[in-house]
Amino acid sequence: MAEAKKENPTTTEQEGPKLPQKRFFRQRAHVNIFNDVPLDYPINPDEEDWSKLYPTYFRPHADKHQAASDAKRPHSPSVDGPTVAPAKRGPAATAPVEDSLAKVEFADIGCGYGGLLVALAPLYPTTLMVGMEIRTKLVDYLQQRIEALRGFQRNLLAQPGTEWVDVNVKLAQEVAALSQPLAGTKESHDTGETERLVPGHYENIAAMRINCQKYLPNFFKKGQLSKMFVLFADPHFKRRKHKARIISQTMLAEYAYVMKTGGIIYMITDVEDLYNWSLSHLDDFPLFERIPNDEILVDPVTPFVINSTEEGKKVARNNGKKYLACYRRIEDPDSSEAV
């Protein structure tokens, strides 16, 4: 009997781009961030090759010293047997020549399947955004999803008279959705535009595998980020696991370092205990101040934070509560920081 051909989620006999199927990329939600998982990370932010993720914004550059540079690039150790090759974050590229105007400004910590990034990409078409996730399958899914969306956009650009997305209408739809909880049990996610052109053509978003609680300052310079998102983070219910929560005094110090003065951190969860925990730590930290609710409501990012993530849609389907808080990075009164 002929063996049935196994379906490959990353290839297709049809020509053109194809969105990945989420069922091939499922992975358990909990990952021990204290384990020594083999990861690839730069010695400092200047060493990161962003051209792998944003080829439109960063130009690859042949460098005869690249091999020596790669040899010095550290890898986190593996405690279980031989070293495993670091996860790939994009197509192979040589050392980048960075455009002085191009830099990542938005970071989604624990981005999951990337619903927020895909939704925000047309709203901020010239702002580079990165989703940072420790789970390998989710990073693979999101990067394949982004590459497919870019492919669809390239094909649409070649077709005269293609309709463009109206970002104002898109924003209005998200605002209206705040008062309309999702009905039924079927998942309904914004997979991105495949039939209409969008500003930026999804060239401004990317995903990378990283343990943010260890290596965040290796990727971002001081004061680089203007927005950071911590959406529906792992609650780590057990008391002995609280040290692994993404909002803590230690992590807030690193967030304050990579965020510029005036930058905003968006935090939302459906777990009230985690919400109160996060508020207590953010309120006590001297470099963040809470943003009033009336100001949050007019922020164009807010409806996407509440509605666009896969986890947020699941909470809405189950008629659960969502707890949102936003904090602004303020100037350190004891330093010479620029506003």
Side-chain angles (χ1 to χ4, degrees):
M1 182 181 295
E3 184 179 355
K5 185 178 180 180
K6 186 176 181 181
E7 185 177 358
N8 188 330
T10 61
T11 61
T12 177
E13 295 180 357
Q14 301 177 352
E15 294 183 359
K18 182 179 180 181
L19 289 169
Q21 301 178 51
K22 191 178 296 182
R23 60 192 176 97
F24 292 108
F25 298 89
R26 297 292 183 186
Q27 186 171 349
R28 66 190 300 267
H30 304 284
V31 175
N32 189 340
I33 54 94
F34 298 111
N35 283 349
D36 284 322
V37 180
L39 294 170
D40 183 21
Y41 62 94
I43 298 174
N44 59 62
D46 290 328
E47 297 294 325
E48 177 60 10
D49 184 359
W50 293 107
S51 69
K52 296 178 181 179
L53 301 179
Y54 307 97
T56 301
Y57 290 87
F58 297 89
R59 295 174 289 118
H61 173 64
D63 186 352
K64 63 182 180 180
H65 301 297
Q66 181 63 20
S69 176
D70 286 344
K72 297 179 181 179
R73 187 181 179 91
H75 304 286
S76 55
S78 174
V79 295
D80 298 319
T83 302
V84 181
K88 295 182 179 179
R89 297 198 297 266
T94 51
V97 175
E98 180 179 343
D99 183 335
S100 61
L101 299 179
K103 63 179 180 179
V104 176
E105 295 186 52
F106 291 6
D108 187 0
I109 308 298
C111 63
Y113 290 102
L116 179 71
L117 292 175
V118 172
L120 287 182
L123 198 65
Y124 296 91
T126 60
T127 300
L128 299 189
M129 317 175 197
V130 66
M132 316 189 89
E133 175 64 56
I134 195 172
R135 292 170 288 177
T136 308
K137 289 186 177 181
L138 274 64
V139 174
D140 291 342
Y141 168 84
L142 178 52
Q143 194 57 35
Q144 289 180 32
R145 177 184 181 184
I146 293 170
E147 294 295 341
L149 290 173
R150 290 174 178 175
F152 281 117
Q153 291 291 304
R154 285 192 290 269
N155 291 345
L156 291 171
L157 283 169
Q159 302 174 11
T162 304
E163 181 186 0
W164 281 78
V165 167
D166 188 325
V167 293
N168 292 322
V169 171
K170 184 178 179 65
L171 175 58
Q173 290 172 343
E174 290 294 331
V175 172
L178 289 175
S179 59
Q180 299 175 5
L182 296 179
T185 58
K186 184 179 180 181
E187 291 192 24
S188 174
H189 301 320
D190 180 5
T191 57
E193 290 291 342
T194 59
E195 298 180 355
R196 297 184 297 176
L197 289 169
V198 300
H201 310 298
Y202 299 107
E203 297 287 350
N204 59 327
I205 59 174
M208 62 165 53
R209 187 178 182 223
I210 173 181
N211 185 344
C212 294
Q213 288 173 268
K214 285 188 176 182
Y215 304 120
L216 194 65
N218 292 73
F219 291 87
F220 301 121
K221 298 178 181 179
K222 181 178 180 181
Q224 178 173 338
L225 299 179
S226 60
K227 293 187 187 296
M228 181 180 291
F229 305 94
V230 181
L231 313 183
F232 300 99
D234 190 334
H236 293 291
F237 289 109
K238 296 180 180 178
R239 183 176 295 274
R240 63 185 179 87
K241 294 286 188 178
H242 284 183
K243 61 183 178 181
R245 287 179 168 177
I246 197 67
I247 298 290
S248 65
Q249 290 299 108
T250 301
M251 290 309 302
L252 287 176
E254 297 200 355
Y255 297 159
Y257 176 81
V258 299
M259 294 190 71
K260 69 178 184 180
T261 302
I264 300 175
I265 180 169
Y266 299 79
M267 188 276 298
I268 189 171
T269 179
D270 59 324
V271 180
E272 187 173 9
D273 174 69
L274 179 61
Y275 175 73
N276 292 330
W277 161 283
S278 300
L279 291 187
S280 65
H281 284 75
L282 283 160
D283 288 339
D284 290 342
F285 199 83
L287 297 182
F288 288 104
E289 66 176 8
R290 190 167 183 178
I291 300 176
N293 288 337
D294 56 349
E295 185 176 340
I296 295 175
L297 293 177
V298 298
D299 186 336
V301 171
T302 299
F304 295 94
V305 168
I306 297 174
N307 296 319
S308 297
T309 66
E310 285 76 3
E311 188 66 24
K313 292 179 183 292
K314 183 171 71 174
V315 173
R317 286 196 305 274
N318 296 329
N319 296 319
K321 292 183 178 180
K322 300 177 186 178
Y323 304 93
L324 170 69
C326 301
Y327 284 75
R328 181 179 289 108
R329 168 70 158 87
I330 61 175
E331 185 176 357
D332 185 352
D334 297 324
S335 76
S336 57
E337 287 182 347
V339 178

